[in-house]
Amino acid sequence: MSIILGIESSCDDTSASVIEDGYLLSNVIANQTVHEAYGGVVPELASRAHQQNIVPVVDKAIKDAGIKKSDISAIAFTRGPGLLGSLLVGTSFSKGFALANNIPLVEVNHLQGHILSHFVKEKGKENIVPKFPFLSLLVSGGHTQIVVVRDYFDMEIIGQTIDDAAGEAYDKCAKVMGLGYPGGPIVDRLAKLGNPDAFVFPKPRVKGVSFSFSGLKTAFLYLLRDEIKKNPNFISENKEDLSASLQKTIVDILLGKLRKAVKQTGITEVTIGGGVAANSELRERLVIYAEKYRWTAHIPERKFTTDNAAMIAITGYFKFLKKDFANQNITPQARMKF
Ligand code: KG4
Ligand code: ZN
């Protein structure tokens, strides 16, 4: 029996999770609301909030799991990529915890965590996991990429964004509409009330399975600037249509590239992961694409899409089984490859 405690602190969510032999026992997330007033994550405030939250969050995760500290086989933590100050909190905590409890320390790449989140099993659920090889459309606040996953730790990025990530496009466009942070979930909600064909935005012309979102962001900004000159209430009168049209464009781009990746690789087992994978339209339209093109699509529960420690614990579990342990001298990395 292996019990893994996972720790996630790469951005603005402090999270701890306990997994027993691949089954979720607990997953506690403390969201940092302090950033809302600034319209984005303020790194120094994030580090401080992690420092405040980490011990109570871990304590709750252990209690919710119904285990004792001494039952834990290993501690897995996010080493990167992410905000360095935030990562330092989780890394230092995990080192201390490993040392104090005389258990192995396991480092996890946050992006591999998002990709492998599909392997978290829950008692009493169907738990259909992807079969190798599969494609992962990884869409978060900092990353937009398509990855071929041949095995748990055999992953190859075949395409990624050349500028902004999809999540950034959501957040920046929401910010210029004055909608608050993070913008993705707000735009998602408003889009349901709007007309997706009200405004037409240009699609990027980037080769293969590469992505680009900065042109869309600029086009959105220029549209607002021009229309506000004519009507100062343009945003408040059109925020639903603007959100629906923006979202349609983003989802068109994402699914169009995923289709290209399927054609290029011949792999029809398809997964989505990362915060933007919580998006209703992406989820709904992926189901339609899967039926139309005969893909097997795996759509994670929303709680496993945005940052969470369950994905870190499951990735740590697979590394633990391989006895792939980290040393006490390990340091976090803001930028990190697979
Ligand atoms: O994976 P994540 O929680 O953190 C990173 O690793 O970046 O992703 C955060 C991103 C943010 O840009 C947020 O706006 C976006 O995910 N997001 C959404 C939705 N929920 C979160 N975007 C669109 N629709 C949503 N429902
Ligand atoms: Zn993430």
Side-chain angles (χ1 to χ4, degrees):
M1 191 180 70
S2 312
I3 296 186
I4 311 295
L5 171 64
I7 306 290
E8 158 62 31
S9 74
S10 66
C11 191
D12 60 340
D13 296 313
T14 318
S15 180
S17 164
V18 178
I19 279 190
E20 180 181 10
D21 295 329
Y23 283 89
L24 188 74
L25 297 186
S26 66
N27 187 29
V28 177
I29 304 172
N31 302 117
Q32 302 180 0
T33 46
V34 60
H35 309 286
E36 280 165 17
Y38 300 90
V41 178
V42 184
E44 248 184 73
L45 297 181
S47 318
R48 198 183 314 193
H50 282 305
Q51 192 72 263
Q52 277 174 340
N53 293 339
I54 191 134
V55 168
V57 164
V58 170
D59 189 51
K60 183 161 187 337
I62 292 174
K63 285 200 179 112
D64 285 2
I67 59 156
K68 298 189 298 296
K69 230 172 27 185
S70 55
D71 297 328
I72 297 170
S73 320
I75 181 162
F77 70 99
T78 303
R79 183 183 184 195
L83 301 170
L84 194 67
S86 292
L87 292 164
L88 273 165
V89 177
T91 305
S92 302
F93 175 88
S94 303
K95 285 185 183 190
F97 193 94
L99 210 55
N101 295 285
N102 198 24
I103 53 171
L105 182 65
V106 181
E107 60 149 311
V108 171
N109 179 312
H110 180 83
L111 300 176
Q112 286 190 332
H114 274 304
I115 292 169
L116 297 179
S117 62
H118 290 268
F119 291 91
V120 178
K121 293 193 265 187
E122 290 184 272
K123 293 245 161 77
K125 295 211 174 152
E126 223 181 339
N127 299 315
I128 301 170
V129 299
K131 289 192 195 80
F132 297 115
F134 62 85
L135 291 178
S136 170
L137 172 66
L138 175 56
V139 273
S140 70
H143 294 81
T144 297
Q145 46 192 224
I146 297 183
V147 183
V148 174
V149 187
R150 297 193 184 86
D151 204 346
Y152 296 114
F153 300 103
D154 182 359
M155 302 184 183
E156 185 193 348
I157 300 168
I158 57 165
Q160 57 191 321
T161 181
I162 56 169
D163 42 54
D164 290 348
E168 256 174 302
Y170 266 109
D171 295 341
K172 287 179 179 169
C173 291
K175 192 173 178 178
V176 295
M177 287 195 281
L179 294 181
Y181 179 86
I186 307 171
V187 171
D188 191 2
R189 203 180 62 237
L190 289 171
K192 293 195 175 91
L193 310 169
N195 172 9
D197 300 314
F199 303 99
V200 178
F201 298 109
K203 299 260 171 61
R205 276 190 236 116
V206 274
K207 282 197 189 133
V209 285
S210 299
F211 297 88
S212 166
F213 288 100
S214 70
L216 172 60
K217 181 189 66 190
T218 313
F220 194 82
L221 196 70
Y222 285 177
L223 172 81
L224 295 192
R225 189 196 57 186
D226 295 345
E227 294 296 330
I228 287 170
K229 275 187 205 149
K230 295 182 235 159
N231 170 12
N233 299 325
F234 177 74
I235 296 178
S236 59
E237 286 170 12
N238 292 281
K239 58 183 188 303
E240 293 84 3
D241 285 352
L242 285 165
S243 297
S245 305
L246 173 70
Q247 176 150 298
K248 177 177 187 282
T249 312
I250 294 176
V251 174
D252 276 351
I253 295 171
L254 294 174
L255 290 177
K257 291 291 181 175
L258 188 57
R259 201 170 156 223
K260 270 199 172 162
V262 169
K263 279 191 187 154
Q264 185 180 310
T265 60
I267 299 171
T268 53
E269 188 91 4
V270 166
T271 69
I272 53 172
V276 181
N279 186 260
S280 334
E281 187 172 335
L282 178 62
R283 298 165 76 91
E284 283 162 19
R285 284 181 52 199
L286 178 57
V287 173
I288 298 168
Y289 267 58
E291 272 175 23
K292 187 164 170 195
Y293 301 117
R294 294 172 193 221
W295 304 345
T296 306
H298 298 264
I299 298 169
E301 273 188 51
R302 279 201 167 83
K303 65 181 178 199
F304 298 135
T305 57
T306 44
D307 289 347
N308 66 88
M311 68 187 200
I312 304 305
I314 194 72
T315 308
Y317 169 64
F318 294 128
K319 283 197 164 183
F320 174 80
L321 294 180
K322 295 199 304 173
K323 296 198 167 37
D324 184 354
F325 303 144
N327 290 323
Q328 274 288 334
N329 63 2
I330 193 164
T331 53
Q333 286 187 342
R335 292 172 173 275
M336 205 174 158
K337 294 218 169 103
F338 287 161

